[in-house]
Amino acid sequence: MMIKNKKVDLRLKTLKHNIDAVNECNNDTLKDTVLECGIGYHKKYPYNEETINLFNKHEALQKHREEKLFSSILNFTQTFYSIKEYLVKEYPSKEVIIENFFSNEKVKMKSRKEISNDLKHNPEKDLKFGIGEVSREIILEPKKRIEKINMRKTWFYSGIDAVEYCNILFRELLELIEINFNESE
């Protein structure tokens, strides 16, 4: 992932750091904070100050990880969209390609710039943390239909798993750059 323009390249490196942070923070939110705080599922606990502190520690750790993931997603989306402005400025002859990629083409019913704009300016469209469907698989067998639904607690943007969305945006941006902004220019 390299582009000759230093300003764009620096933002691409930042975006790579951001997507790594999104994925790392997401993995952290999937860890069992109950066990990490020393609480055993197989044990009974008396209702006392020590037990309350253990459960408070678990809740605080879980909330911290959720907030860290939110921050990583927000940083990713803002860096992602800033790359658009630098590409347009540095490669004016390719403005149509850049505008189409960021503004006209849609990913999961959203243009690529919508998520960045929504997260900056639209409180109604803000990320929401909760349990929701992140994938669905339908298996058709003779006389049988099996539907597997994967649910997970994560940040959602307009019903879309925000972590998955960021990874899609990153891969597609790299493809755009590889195809249209190669080293030979």
Side-chain angles (χ1 to χ4, degrees):
M1 161 181 72
M2 181 85 170
I3 191 166
K4 278 187 178 181
N5 184 285
K6 288 181 183 179
K7 291 179 182 179
V8 175
D9 186 56
L10 183 59
R11 279 156 184 79
L12 283 172
K13 288 176 182 173
T14 301
L15 193 66
K16 172 67 171 121
H17 173 75
N18 290 154
I19 196 65
D20 289 345
V22 165
N23 290 320
E24 181 181 327
C25 290
N26 183 56
N27 288 337
D28 283 348
T29 64
L30 300 176
K31 293 177 182 173
D32 191 338
T33 55
V34 171
L35 291 175
E36 285 186 69
C37 291
I39 303 168
Y41 287 107
H42 60 287
K43 296 179 184 176
K44 289 185 179 182
Y45 291 92
Y47 186 76
N48 60 28
E49 193 172 323
E50 185 180 331
T51 302
I52 292 170
N53 287 340
L54 269 178
F55 282 95
N56 286 342
K57 182 179 174 185
H58 143 68
E59 288 174 6
L61 179 59
Q62 189 172 345
K63 183 176 172 139
H64 170 73
R65 289 178 176 172
E66 292 165 5
E67 290 172 352
K68 197 170 169 188
L69 178 57
F70 173 85
S71 177
S72 297
I73 292 168
L74 188 63
N75 288 341
F76 174 88
T77 59
Q78 301 316 302
T79 303
F80 177 84
Y81 196 63
S82 77
I83 289 173
K84 174 196 182 265
E85 301 305 320
Y86 279 87
L87 285 171
V88 168
K89 184 179 178 194
E90 302 297 324
Y91 301 95
S93 66
K94 298 197 178 201
E95 184 172 2
V96 172
I97 293 168
I98 298 163
E99 284 297 331
N100 279 336
F101 177 80
F102 282 92
S103 303
N104 300 330
E105 295 174 13
K106 302 222 182 249
V107 176
K108 294 200 178 228
M109 306 304 290
K110 296 281 183 187
S111 73
R112 291 175 182 94
K113 80 173 187 179
E114 273 181 279
I115 188 171
S116 295
N117 285 336
D118 281 349
L119 294 180
K120 279 195 297 192
H121 308 298
N122 194 346
E124 298 84 38
K125 298 270 184 156
D126 201 2
L127 292 170
K128 292 175 180 51
F129 194 79
I131 295 175
E133 180 181 325
V134 292
S135 68
R136 182 180 293 248
E137 178 184 6
I138 298 173
I139 302 166
L140 299 175
E141 294 179 358
K143 298 183 183 183
K144 200 191 282 188
R145 174 188 161 131
I146 300 170
E147 198 165 346
K148 293 181 179 181
I149 301 171
N150 182 7
M151 305 286 281
R152 185 173 73 225
K153 195 171 187 182
T154 189
W155 288 100
F156 288 92
Y157 164 70
S158 296
I160 300 166
D161 177 356
V163 174
E164 175 194 7
Y165 194 78
C166 289
N167 280 288
I168 290 169
L169 292 176
F170 184 70
R171 280 192 308 272
E172 290 180 347
L173 180 63
L174 292 182
E175 288 173 16
L176 172 81
I177 289 172
E178 186 177 311
I179 292 167
N180 295 289
F181 303 93
N182 61 34
E183 291 294 310
S184 63
E185 291 185 2

